[in-house]
Amino acid sequence: MANTNLYTHLAVRDEPAIGQPASRKLPGTHHPLAIPMIGGLFLLTHLLGIVLFPRRADVISISFQVTAPLLAALVCFLRRREGYAQGWCALALALIFWSAGLSINILELVDLPNPEPGPSISVLLAVLYGVPILFMVASPAAEALSVRIVDAALALALGVLFFIHSFTFSSTGASNSSDVLNILAGFDAENLLIVLFATTRFASSRDQREREFFGALAVYALLYFLAAGYMNHAQHDTPYGGLTDLLIDVPFLLLMAKAAHADLGFRLNYGLSVRQERFVLAASPLMLPAMLLTVSAIVFRANPAWAIAGVAMATLGSGFRNVLTHMHNLEERDRLEQLAQIDTLTALPNRRCFDNRFRIEWSRAWRSKTALAVLMLDIDHFKMLNDGLGHAEGDRCLRAVADALGSCATRASDLVARYGGEEFVAILPSASPEQAMQFAELLGQTVHSLNLPFRPYIPAVLNLRLRRNRSSFGQCKASLQFPRLQTIGLVSFRARDTPPSPVAASMRTANAD
């Protein structure tokens, strides 16, 4: 009997996580027993076809074996609309490859010309069946696209190497029992690895949709591993058309039922700790290189050149993947660091960014004996605005003022940040009192030109107090009509003989007389 290599997928019923929508049944499967009844009817029809038409039992049986994975592929493809589409589509593609590989055997049974040169097409399709499944279990969906392309290349290389291994023995007719065992052992090992990898990914998944997929994959994989192992070893010489052929239908029908959310009366709610989950996700990329090295070792005796190529592909592919992952992590770290320095409402630098920058500029001013100016800005009666017009209008006011203030910082060394609430702050390194005063005037005029439409209109006074060391060297007042900008206090510091603490420095806003 031709080899019936099937990859297993474990169908598991899991309760929806808190805050996630419950699983929806596919159209036409609202009755909890709809899909199980269809599966039972399929098996019954298969059985009746074998019993009632014994002369053509081989064609009838293999036709049902080709149809079962196609039905499962259809349901998996429909399931993609409910989440984790890439997994369900990859599984549907794998089932189509499997069905196509087995359908070639029908040509021999009905005495039609077989287009394949020997068993090569059947073996190739059987190998292609495993490529998308191996890719899904070994490549986390959260990885960057460039990293997943490398994973796909490794999965394809594994398929090519496995095809070389299988075709080497099948092309000779596989009359030697040791050759047959070599082929079957390769299929058994691959099926078993898929069971283990899918079960591990299921146990380590927190996302409900991903967990449902790997649960279905693991159950299917386990059942197929058992069914294919029995058929390949115990029924290897049995022709098509026997009652044991019904075993091949079972994994596909069960997968179809789980993909359609049918309640089969069992559930599996096992999970790992957070640390274990992270370990599984971090170790998942090692699956493909490890399998590639294993198959390379198996192939080495018959095809040393291909084995060496497999080892090189596993080594270089894994190394290149690590490089891409590290680059992506560095980019993500830089992006997060940048986000941590930005106020989400106003898009200005936030208090954390100001504190870090102030410490740097304070130390630089002390070392270089230069001035440092700091302006504190506050929107007057902002609480009244929030209470009267609502927080949405208050947020709009903050964004408008922040945009206006940020546009005034034209020097690369200047910084305008949101200090907290309705307060803003500006740092002017190496700014003279006159320059600081001009910048304060510019800030007030820019905000005044906004003509923000809400009321009340509050006249504001711009107070400026300049301090150098501990003696006051100037005070200037300007009566300006600024809506919502009440006070701008400027403090200019020069370095002392010993650097004072920036936290202890006075940045007080002067009150209007």
Side-chain angles (χ1 to χ4, degrees):
M1 184 177 187
N3 174 65
T4 52
N5 175 42
L6 299 173
Y7 287 80
T8 101
H9 293 67
L10 196 82
V12 179
R13 186 177 189 273
D14 196 12
E15 296 297 327
I18 297 177
Q20 293 182 331
S23 299
R24 298 173 298 160
K25 297 182 184 297
L26 298 179
T29 64
H30 295 286
H31 194 281
L33 297 180
I35 293 297
M37 289 175 63
I38 293 175
L41 182 61
F42 186 92
L43 288 176
L44 179 60
T45 306
H46 188 176
L47 174 62
L48 292 177
I50 294 175
V51 174
L52 298 179
F53 304 97
R55 292 180 177 273
R56 305 305 297 172
D58 51 356
V59 177
I60 294 174
S61 183
I62 199 171
S63 298
F64 274 92
Q65 291 181 1
V66 168
T67 304
L70 291 179
L71 292 176
L74 176 62
V75 178
C76 289
F77 182 74
L78 295 176
R79 176 65 184 273
R80 81 193 189 283
R81 297 175 296 182
E82 300 186 29
Y84 208 67
Q86 57 181 319
W88 292 109
C89 289
L91 182 53
L93 178 63
L95 295 174
I96 291 173
F97 282 140
W98 190 94
S99 180
L102 189 62
S103 64
I104 294 177
N105 294 323
I106 298 180
L107 300 178
E108 298 177 355
L109 296 177
V110 296
D111 299 327
L112 292 178
N114 192 333
E116 61 169 331
S120 58
I121 295 181
S122 294
V123 175
L124 177 61
L125 290 173
V127 169
L128 289 178
Y129 162 78
V131 171
I133 299 178
L134 290 171
F135 171 71
M136 291 309 305
V137 298
S139 181
E143 294 286 3
L145 177 61
S146 58
V147 175
R148 302 207 75 193
I149 290 176
V150 175
D151 290 338
L154 289 174
L156 185 59
L158 179 62
V160 170
L161 203 60
F162 192 75
F163 170 74
I164 296 298
H165 167 69
S166 302
F167 182 70
T168 298
F169 298 104
S170 61
S171 60
T172 62
S175 57
N176 193 311
S177 59
S178 62
D179 293 341
V180 175
L181 290 178
N182 279 325
I183 297 176
L184 297 181
F187 283 119
D188 292 340
E190 197 166 13
N191 289 337
L192 180 59
L193 287 175
I194 292 177
V195 175
L196 297 177
F197 293 161
T199 304
T200 303
R201 289 295 304 275
F202 163 75
S204 64
S205 297
R206 283 179 174 262
D207 180 78
Q208 177 68 14
R209 302 307 185 191
E210 181 177 334
R211 188 176 175 85
E212 288 176 354
F213 169 76
F214 283 111
L217 179 59
V219 169
Y220 161 73
L222 177 60
L223 290 180
Y224 184 73
F225 170 72
L226 297 176
Y230 173 76
M231 296 297 294
N232 289 337
H233 293 278
Q235 302 291 326
H236 173 68
D237 296 327
T238 303
Y240 286 107
L243 295 180
T244 54
D245 289 356
L246 274 67
L247 292 176
I248 298 300
D249 298 341
V250 174
F252 299 110
L253 297 177
L254 181 61
L255 174 61
M256 179 179 67
K258 295 309 299 179
H261 300 296
D263 189 353
L264 301 183
F266 67 92
R267 64 185 60 175
L268 180 58
N269 288 323
Y270 176 74
L272 301 177
S273 66
V274 175
R275 186 176 182 84
Q276 291 171 331
E277 290 175 5
R278 292 174 179 172
F279 175 80
V280 170
L281 290 178
S284 293
L286 296 176
M287 296 178 184
L288 287 174
M291 292 181 66
L292 196 54
L293 291 174
T294 302
V295 177
S296 298
I298 297 174
V299 172
F300 182 78
R301 182 171 61 86
N303 294 281
W306 282 103
I308 294 174
V311 172
M313 183 65 181
T315 304
L316 296 178
S318 179
F320 186 56
R321 188 190 193 283
N322 289 337
V323 171
L324 293 177
T325 302
H326 187 58
M327 290 177 58
H328 176 71
N329 291 339
L330 291 177
E331 294 172 355
E332 190 69 13
R333 185 194 65 183
D334 294 341
R335 186 182 70 85
L336 293 177
E337 287 181 354
Q338 184 178 6
L339 290 176
Q341 303 283 334
I342 299 298
D343 178 65
T344 56
L345 177 62
T346 63
L348 287 178
N350 58 16
R351 172 70 178 274
R352 178 183 180 183
C353 180
F354 165 75
D355 290 341
N356 294 336
R357 181 70 174 275
F358 183 59
R359 293 186 183 93
I360 295 173
E361 297 297 343
W362 181 271
S363 300
R364 181 182 291 117
W366 175 76
R367 291 193 305 269
S368 60
K369 308 301 180 183
T370 57
L372 175 64
V374 179
L375 287 75
M376 297 295 297
L377 305 96
D378 179 76
I379 301 179
D380 189 28
H381 297 283
F382 187 72
K383 185 178 186 302
M384 182 186 303
L385 171 66
N386 265 340
D387 294 341
L389 299 180
H391 290 277
E393 194 65 34
D395 291 345
R396 191 178 74 84
C397 170
L398 286 174
R399 284 191 292 266
V401 172
D403 291 342
L405 297 178
S407 65
C408 296
T410 56
R411 297 193 309 171
S413 59
D414 294 343
L415 175 72
V416 176
R418 185 183 181 191
Y419 194 73
E422 67 273 19
E423 297 176 332
F424 298 87
V425 63
I427 300 178
L428 308 177
S430 303
S432 65
E434 293 76 15
Q435 291 174 326
M437 181 62 185
Q438 292 174 1
F439 189 77
E441 295 276 0
L442 177 62
L443 292 178
Q445 292 171 4
T446 303
V447 175
H448 178 65
S449 65
L450 293 177
N451 293 321
L452 298 175
F454 39 77
R455 292 294 183 267
Y457 184 86
I458 308 292
V461 176
L462 171 66
N463 284 283
L464 218 63
R465 185 178 297 275
L466 306 177
R467 294 186 181 275
R468 179 184 182 186
N469 295 333
R470 293 183 178 176
S471 61
S472 174
F473 64 84
Q475 179 175 351
C476 177
K477 293 184 179 180
S479 180
L480 302 174
Q481 299 298 314
F482 297 149
R484 297 153 302 284
L485 249 179
Q486 182 187 29
T487 303
I488 298 179
L490 173 104
V491 183
S492 179
F493 299 102
R494 288 187 185 276
R496 303 174 181 177
D497 295 335
T498 58
S501 169
V503 178
S506 174
M507 292 191 297
R508 296 187 299 270
T509 301
N511 295 324
D513 292 338

